[in-house]
Amino acid sequence: MPITDDMIIEATGELYSRSLRKVPEDAKAALAAAMETESNETARQTLKLQLKSAEMSENKDTFVCSDSGVPVYFVKVGSKAELACDFKASIRKGYEVLVETIEPPLLKHVTNPITLERGYHGKDMPIVSYDFESGADYVEMVCSPKALGSGRWAALELFTFPTLEQIETYILDVAIKAGAQHCPPVLMGVGIGGTFDHCAGLAKKQTLRPIGEKNPDPVLAEMEARLTKAINGLGFGPMGTGGDTTVLGVHVDFSSGHGFTPVAVCFNCWINRRARVRIWGDGRMEWSE
Amino acid sequence: MSVTEHDLTLPLSQEAAQKLKLGDFVYLTGEIFATAGLPTHDRLLKCLEGAEPLPFDMSGSALFHLGSLNEEAEDGTLSIVYMNPTTSTRFNAHMPRLIPGLGLRATGGKGGLDATCARAMAESGCVYLSFLGGGAPIITAGIRKVTGIGWPEMISHYRIARIEVERLGPLTVGIDARGNSIYDRTSKASLEKRAAILEGMRAERDSFEA
Ligand code: SF4
């Protein structure tokens, strides 16, 4: 049985709605673990408050944060999945239905950058990236809405044949510049190499990786541990009011490229909004996070 | 060790504001003003320049950078469905004039304000309180009722809401009434630590590669 328009419409709305209400389990576990190591008492209490907010939003079935950001989706189509849908149109439709029906309603955050008009809709909304997955018989969709609070601190720089030291110094400096601003403790996504456009995507996708999962590449795993320790040594702390917990993790990926090497860095605030679903043609939907 | 907590009634007296120390937790009861709008801050500055009257007398009050969704009941009364802080540094250019101009005793939001704002706060005896970003359920639970809406022609989170709150918090003292600022201290400290941190990373890289 093929995957239909109705299934995509349902998944689009439900994913966004879930991402606003539930802090992913791995993020909650990382916050709880940070409480054990944090030495600053205000910071420990702030982490505790963050966990309390996550619990309350789940119990009350409401939003963790009032800023619902703009809708961002990642789609992976399995090579063995059978499709009978207009994917792009269904995602647009699913988002339209969501903003009309969601309870509580969303604030109008979608902004036209030329006129500064705000509303629920706008050119190229929702923002969707498509990819394929060899051998899979399902479609996977992830929703990770983005708002100004952590979105504005993302950065990308182009180097030529940089050393690892130059790359890591740049990443540290982006963390210093973001400072107290992005509702820490954050998850930092880093992309290295490829091209300008590809590198930004690499960094963003790293924020979708489960927190606490070790990078299978030993060089990258080492780099992630080193950067996490270094950035937590800066002292910004939860909500930027001081402490040892500024990042919950740093996730790094790279692609081969030419001699010019882009390095991209982006952030997910502590609520780590992301929701994931796998959809099969027989109507099964498996939700995670 | 524990965090010092203060249960305070608004309007905040000069003495009560002076007692607050960096990193303390505060719960507020009384009336606050809230807005998340950049155009709103521009308009407040124009009011101070005499372009139009202020929507409320705000002297001695608390004005916070909070965005909210309001719902209007059939009888015209407004309620807040959810509320949460917005980034205060977006208003760095406005606050040095708004703090003394409006006579604010407290301001706040998330992420703090810059050193120029902190100086203005020291001169006026005003504190900055940090709200939990992503703390909508906790913050919304502190709301009793909306007692006024300024500039209703603006979109929901740009209006100025006057809100009665009960034990709103905990909020963290980020900048005290003498202008001491956690944000200023941590950002200066991070720059001071930078060289040593880079050195430590270099040593770790060398030992890993070896
Ligand atoms: S950075 Fe995240 S938690 Fe903070 S206000 Fe924005 S969306 Fe909410």
Side-chain angles (χ1 to χ4, degrees):
Chain A
M1 275 186 296
I3 292 166
T4 61
D5 284 320
D6 284 347
M7 289 154 92
I8 304 304
I9 290 168
E10 185 194 334
T12 302
E14 183 63 20
L15 278 173
Y16 198 171
S17 177
R18 283 184 186 229
S19 76
L20 300 176
R21 295 169 208 269
K22 186 173 182 319
V23 176
E25 292 302 322
D26 57 338
K28 284 194 279 188
L31 291 164
M35 278 187 67
E36 303 296 316
T37 52
E38 177 61 62
S39 67
N40 175 309
E41 191 54 28
T42 299
R44 282 168 48 80
Q45 294 304 322
T46 304
L47 289 166
K48 195 169 157 190
L49 203 60
Q50 291 175 331
L51 285 166
K52 182 179 166 192
S53 183
E55 189 190 318
M56 279 176 81
S57 67
E58 265 179 64
N59 291 346
K60 295 188 167 184
D61 195 21
T62 185
F63 306 155
V64 193
C65 190
S66 58
D67 195 333
S68 46
V70 293
V72 183
Y73 291 88
F74 295 85
V75 175
K76 257 190 209 164
V77 180
S79 58
K80 291 186 181 152
E82 203 187 322
L83 300 186
C85 58
D86 181 341
F87 224 108
K88 285 189 175 173
S90 293
I91 290 195
R92 268 200 306 277
K93 177 77 185 162
Y95 177 66
E96 266 167 36
V97 172
L98 171 91
V99 292
E100 278 160 27
T101 55
I102 190 168
E103 268 307 320
L106 304 176
L107 285 168
K108 291 178 176 166
H109 285 298
V110 175
T111 307
N112 178 320
I114 311 297
T115 62
L116 296 183
E117 260 172 87
R118 302 195 92 173
Y120 290 129
H121 300 288
K123 186 169 180 290
D124 297 336
M125 283 295 142
I127 297 170
V128 190
S129 318
Y130 295 91
D131 202 352
F132 298 100
E133 180 84 35
S134 289
D137 61 349
Y138 53 79
V139 163
E140 185 177 270
M141 293 175 68
V142 178
C143 177
S144 172
K146 199 78 220 151
L148 172 154
S150 66
R152 72 190 288 220
W153 300 102
L156 189 148
E157 179 79 54
L158 288 141
F159 296 86
T160 45
F161 297 106
T163 60
L164 200 50
E165 172 156 27
Q166 282 175 300
I167 292 172
E168 291 185 3
T169 303
Y170 173 69
I171 297 165
L172 187 78
D173 285 341
V174 174
I176 290 176
K177 189 171 175 207
Q181 298 297 312
H182 42 20
C183 287
V186 294
L187 192 282
M188 230 170 143
V190 176
I192 302 166
T195 52
F196 175 80
D197 50 326
H198 180 76
C199 185
L202 273 184
K204 170 76 191 188
K205 280 180 198 142
Q206 283 304 300
T207 64
L208 307 178
R209 222 179 87 198
I211 303 168
E213 188 191 83
K214 199 170 163 145
N215 197 314
D217 179 327
V219 175
L220 294 184
E222 200 69 27
M223 193 172 165
E224 291 179 352
R226 189 161 56 238
L227 284 163
T228 300
K229 185 175 151 205
I231 294 163
N232 281 336
L234 291 170
F236 292 107
M239 287 314 293
T241 47
D244 319 314
T245 320
T246 305
V247 289
L248 293 175
V250 181
H251 291 175
V252 185
D253 197 8
F254 75 97
S255 287
S256 305
H258 201 271
F260 75 98
T261 302
V263 180
V265 181
C266 63
F267 302 94
N268 255 4
C269 51
W270 75 266
I271 63 176
N272 277 288
R273 281 196 287 231
R274 64 181 139 81
R276 192 183 303 264
V277 69
R278 282 186 183 172
I279 308 165
W280 282 270
D282 61 8
R284 259 181 310 142
M285 291 197 183
E286 191 182 282
W287 302 89
S288 54
E289 295 171 338
Chain B
M1 246 191 1
S2 65
V3 174
T4 307
E5 296 194 351
H6 307 263
D7 253 298
L8 300 173
T9 309
L10 296 167
L12 213 56
S13 68
Q14 192 126 21
E15 301 72 52
Q18 291 290 341
K19 278 195 192 127
L20 301 176
K21 295 209 172 59
L22 296 183
D24 286 358
F25 274 3
V26 172
Y27 294 87
L28 298 178
T29 298
E31 255 178 354
I32 66 163
F33 292 102
T35 182
L38 205 55
T40 324
H41 282 70
D42 290 337
R43 196 164 163 185
L44 282 170
L45 280 177
K46 291 219 177 76
C47 290
L48 294 181
E49 288 159 9
E52 59 174 319
L54 286 164
F56 302 100
D57 173 11
M58 294 167 83
S59 73
S61 74
L63 170 65
F64 297 125
H65 306 134
L66 293 166
S68 61
L69 178 80
N70 309 325
E71 218 166 48
E72 196 175 333
E74 268 169 25
D75 65 356
T77 55
L78 282 163
S79 61
I80 291 178
V81 184
Y82 53 77
M83 186 167 81
N84 199 75
T86 184
T87 306
S88 296
T89 47
R90 297 197 287 133
F91 313 114
N92 272 339
H94 302 80
M95 297 314 286
R97 278 183 289 158
L98 286 183
I99 290 163
L102 298 172
L104 300 180
R105 182 72 61 224
T107 185
K110 73 177 194 78
L113 288 165
D114 71 6
T116 311
C117 296
R119 271 196 298 281
M121 293 170 64
E123 278 160 27
S124 299
C126 173
V127 292
Y128 178 93
L129 302 174
S130 164
F131 288 67
L132 178 65
I138 294 171
I139 295 160
T140 310
I143 298 172
R144 288 260 307 264
K145 61 174 191 269
V146 180
T147 58
I149 291 284
W151 297 332
E153 65 279 15
M154 300 179 103
I155 62 171
S156 188
H157 41 311
Y158 285 3
R159 299 167 188 161
I160 298 185
R162 190 176 60 198
I163 306 163
E164 198 180 306
V165 297
E166 186 176 353
R167 288 206 92 229
L168 173 73
L171 317 176
T172 310
V173 180
I175 305 174
D176 72 16
R178 285 172 298 284
N180 298 307
S181 164
I182 289 185
Y183 309 98
D184 211 33
R185 282 185 190 175
T186 49
S187 81
K188 278 196 184 121
S190 74
L191 290 172
E192 280 160 16
K193 287 184 219 165
R194 181 178 175 274
I197 288 174
L198 286 173
E199 188 50 51
M201 289 167 82
R202 192 174 302 133
E204 283 182 26
R205 262 192 315 269
D206 289 348
S207 68
F208 180 66
E209 282 160 12

